[in-house]
Amino acid sequence: MTATDGRPAFMGALPQEFVWGVATSAYQIEGAVGADGRAPSIWDAFCRVPGAVAAGESGEHACDHYHRWPEDLDLIAGLGAGAYRFSVAWPRVVPGGDGRVNRRGLDFYRRLVDGLRERGITPFATLYHWDLPQALEDRGGWRVRDTAERFADYAATVHEALDGVPYWITLNEPYCSSITGYAEGRHAPGAREGHGALAAAHHLLVGHGLATARLRERARKGERIGVTLNMSPAVPASPSPEDTAAARRMDLMVNRQFTEPLLAAAYPGDMAEVYGEISDFSFRRPGDLGLISAPLDFLGVNYYYPIHAAAAPYDQPDPALRTAYDIGVRTVPPAGPPVSGLGWRVEPRGLYDTLTGLAARHPGLPPVFITENGYGGGDELDDTGRISYLDQHLAATADAVADGVDVRGYFCWSLIDNFEWARGYAARFGLVHVDYATQVRTPKAAYHWYRDVIGAGS
Ligand code: FCB
């Protein structure tokens, strides 16, 4: 952070009312998977599959946030953060996926929202952060349209019960829910299907559209509705025409497959060409695009790194180098520093390009919140790598704002170390360290740094 007047240099470009926040998600922190009537989600089931999660770990106990939430909200208040992005666990609220509503599950989120408001922190509630009730997966999961309808019912139930949430996010990262979960099998439900993943991607978007319509009907004054996408610019690994075309295919799969229907009411024209033989889009119905593209009050963008894409022959012998869709792309592994503790490339320019690219491509782009950005490392408390990462990405955000992109806020992933999905607990993203044996929380250097940034911006 460069400072002449004691304020970080990037602060100058950010609007006065910029929202400073932190983010988490239910399955990654709550634990208490059997408490108060919660039923299993696809992640409870996936964690039991041998080899699915590093060290055979699961979210069974996680950070025990379900019981320790007041302490965690105090940590947010200690940062001076104005907002907290959390997710609601569908299997706590509607354990069977549809039908009976579990009041005790809703009560937990009521307490949480009340606790936030008492501390002057604005709640941003995500309705789906990957924890589909297993009962719905048993009926086809996101491969089937019925799940989208059930999601809208569940969304309406939560919305009605939680007064005092001004910002609603329907989905977190539909790319990961569909491609990583149904094609690559690296996430729950662990499926490796081409066409099933395409159907899942579409049904997630339909679920977003149906839920948005239901929330709009009942919206209280001032409530805003949006969706969060993970975005990674696809950069050609070389200037060759082959790698350039490969990057374009990757951009379709990761970004445009979601941004275009949401923001431009159309699926990209190159979908059939890229997906080849699995291009059976019979799951699309008339009217779907209108539903999916209903106006958003804001777009949530999660950004971590860009993807460096090279063309790879379809008969690439090493399965680890193929995408599950087999779109003829190889992701070039990070080469040389700088990389995060997890080996993810540190390229803040990718965030700038994402934000300015969105604004250029979609002139009516709604206001953007960066709903996740953060650094995964080990268990060090003096996390200088994280500080440098956050500093550079806030500078990139400020550059995009200076160049005209309407970015309203930034949420650091994550408040506390937590269950990092298939990587288990070894990958730590928190501003606050968690000792999982004792559940003791210890703020890291980045926590103090972020508190100072927020203080300088307030
Ligand atoms: C994102 C997820 C979030 C967290 C970060 C590191 O893809 O939304 O839950 O795991 O990555």
Side-chain angles (χ1 to χ4, degrees):
M1 144 169 38
T2 328
T4 43
D5 59 351
R7 298 173 84 225
F10 52 72
M11 208 59 93
L14 299 176
Q16 186 60 45
E17 56 291 352
F18 196 72
V19 172
W20 295 98
V22 283
T24 65
S25 89
Y27 188 69
Q28 294 179 273
I29 63 167
E30 287 178 0
V33 293
D36 295 338
R38 179 189 179 278
S41 76
I42 54 175
W43 271 93
D44 297 277
F46 185 64
C47 289
R48 280 196 289 274
V49 176
V53 174
E57 289 169 334
S58 78
E60 185 177 357
H61 303 294
C63 309
D64 194 31
H65 172 79
Y66 191 76
H67 299 111
R68 296 169 195 263
W69 61 268
E71 180 183 353
D72 293 337
L73 299 200
D74 287 345
L75 285 163
I76 304 172
L79 276 171
Y84 175 48
R85 174 177 178 240
F86 64 95
S87 81
V88 176
W90 188 347
R92 280 199 197 284
V93 170
V94 185
D98 70 348
R100 190 182 60 82
V101 174
N102 179 29
R103 187 189 46 76
R104 289 180 296 167
L106 278 175
D107 284 346
F108 169 69
Y109 297 104
R110 285 197 183 98
R111 292 194 290 277
L112 190 71
V113 169
D114 288 349
L116 286 167
R117 299 186 65 83
E118 280 160 19
R119 291 168 178 80
I121 301 163
T122 302
F124 279 59
T126 304
L127 288 160
Y128 185 70
H129 201 124
W130 306 356
D131 44 1
L132 185 72
Q134 179 61 32
L136 289 184
E137 179 58 25
D138 295 342
R139 285 154 48 182
W142 288 107
R143 299 172 195 85
V144 301
R145 194 179 181 94
D146 184 61
T147 298
E149 305 272 356
R150 303 290 69 81
F151 175 64
D153 291 343
Y154 148 75
T157 299
V158 176
H159 178 260
E160 190 182 325
L162 295 189
D163 200 353
V165 176
Y167 290 87
W168 294 91
I169 297 170
T170 54
L171 305 175
N172 177 69
E173 303 189 353
Y175 169 79
C176 291
S177 301
S178 54
I179 311 301
T180 319
Y182 285 87
E184 294 183 68
R186 287 191 294 115
H187 281 181
R192 291 171 190 263
E193 305 165 12
H195 188 259
L198 284 186
H202 181 69
H203 292 140
L204 280 150
L205 291 173
V206 171
H208 156 79
L210 291 169
T212 299
R214 296 281 287 278
L215 264 55
R216 283 260 180 255
E217 271 166 34
R218 296 140 198 259
R220 304 170 187 91
K221 196 164 176 299
E223 284 183 352
R224 296 181 179 87
I225 303 164
V227 62
T228 279
L229 303 179
N230 54 308
M231 301 206 61
S232 285
V235 184
S238 82
S240 75
E242 292 78 16
D243 287 352
T244 304
R248 179 117 186 109
R249 292 196 292 278
M250 198 59 155
D251 180 45
L252 169 88
M253 186 167 78
V254 178
N255 304 311
R256 288 184 290 121
Q257 177 171 210
F258 300 94
T259 52
E260 303 304 296
L262 284 164
L263 300 171
Y267 272 113
D270 50 347
M271 273 187 86
E273 182 195 326
V274 170
Y275 289 132
E277 62 187 30
I278 60 168
S279 296
D280 164 5
F281 301 120
S282 51
F283 44 73
R284 293 184 192 161
R285 297 213 187 139
D288 281 358
L289 281 167
L291 200 62
I292 294 168
S293 63
L296 296 167
D297 297 320
F298 64 95
L299 178 69
V301 171
N302 293 354
Y303 172 82
Y304 289 91
Y305 51 78
I307 297 172
H308 296 260
Y314 272 38
D315 60 354
Q316 172 58 252
D318 180 356
L321 296 180
R322 295 168 60 170
T323 71
Y325 275 165
D326 214 357
I327 59 170
V329 179
R330 178 166 59 96
T331 299
V332 183
V339 291
S340 77
L342 297 190
W344 292 4
R345 291 187 66 101
V346 177
E347 291 185 66
R349 169 88 203 189
L351 177 56
Y352 173 85
D353 289 346
T354 295
L355 296 170
T356 53
L358 271 170
R361 201 177 160 83
H362 301 284
L365 185 71
V368 171
F369 286 93
I370 295 168
T371 40
E372 286 181 29
N373 177 241
Y375 178 98
D379 66 359
E380 62 281 351
L381 289 176
D382 188 17
D383 51 347
T384 49
R386 176 167 296 108
I387 292 174
S388 158
Y389 182 96
L390 299 177
D391 186 27
Q392 293 178 67
H393 286 76
L394 282 165
T397 304
D399 287 347
V401 171
D403 287 346
V405 187
D406 184 4
V407 185
R408 302 277 174 97
Y410 175 94
F411 291 74
C412 175
W413 182 273
S414 180
L415 171 66
I416 49 179
D417 290 339
N418 58 53
F419 176 69
E420 180 44 36
W421 308 112
R423 288 186 174 79
Y425 292 97
R428 292 172 177 268
F429 276 85
L431 294 172
V432 176
H433 179 273
V434 177
D435 177 336
Y436 294 106
T438 60
Q439 291 293 352
V440 168
R441 275 84 160 132
T442 309
K444 305 178 191 179
Y447 176 95
H448 302 294
W449 177 86
Y450 194 43
R451 183 198 58 201
D452 291 347
V453 167
I454 295 171
S458 312

